[in-house]
Amino acid sequence: MFEKLEITRMAQALAAQSGARMAVIAENVANADTPGYKAKDVPAFADVYAAEGLEMRATRSGHLSAPATAVAAIPDIVRGHESPNGNSVSLEAEMVKSVEARQSHEMALAIYRATSDVVRASLGRPR
């Protein structure tokens, strides 16, 4: 029953994508001193979700779009250039990506927990 709910499938996919991204970030950090190593990343979850033929739906106007002021307040991350040995890993950028991946994973778990609580409550079995 639980696996048929679209929101739980989306939360599971987000958690899996976050875990995969964390593995790639760990690989980048492990190879930070490897000559010629190029930093890798996984595609954004929204892109992967859309590629599967699914799309996020807005239930009201402005639901999926951030206000212009919020977007303008986020500073751009300065990506480092390749080092003289050809390595393109920036530890600072990897730290930022790891925090983003952790937040995405925590959001997926929160969605799953909330959905679980709603289903339990509807069955008369509160936590």
Side-chain angles (χ1 to χ4, degrees):
M1 177 175 96
F2 238 15
E3 63 276 356
K4 294 182 181 181
L5 295 174
E6 180 60 31
I7 188 116
T8 56
R9 273 194 296 233
M10 185 187 297
Q12 182 181 14
L14 179 60
Q17 190 264 357
S18 298
R21 188 170 191 210
M22 200 53 112
V24 170
I25 292 166
E27 184 180 339
N28 288 344
V29 170
N31 288 294
D33 289 333
T34 304
Y37 184 82
K38 305 294 181 208
K40 302 173 191 169
D41 202 353
V42 296
F45 177 70
D47 297 338
V48 173
Y49 195 71
E52 291 178 1
L54 305 169
E55 61 181 57
M56 296 200 265
R57 296 180 301 261
T59 54
R60 57 179 191 255
S61 63
H63 181 210
L64 292 176
S65 61
T69 55
V71 174
I74 300 172
D76 289 336
I77 300 169
V78 178
R79 303 282 183 211
H81 297 286
E82 287 186 2
S83 63
N85 68 0
N87 189 306
S88 66
V89 176
S90 165
L91 292 177
E92 293 83 6
E94 298 305 313
M95 287 173 46
V96 170
K97 288 193 292 187
S98 70
V99 169
E100 291 170 353
R102 182 183 55 86
Q103 289 173 337
S104 292
H105 192 264
E106 287 176 0
M107 181 171 53
L109 293 178
I111 291 168
Y112 194 80
R113 262 189 237 111
T115 304
S116 173
D117 290 344
V118 168
V119 171
R120 281 190 187 120
S122 69
L123 294 174
R125 300 179 189 157
R127 211 192 273 202

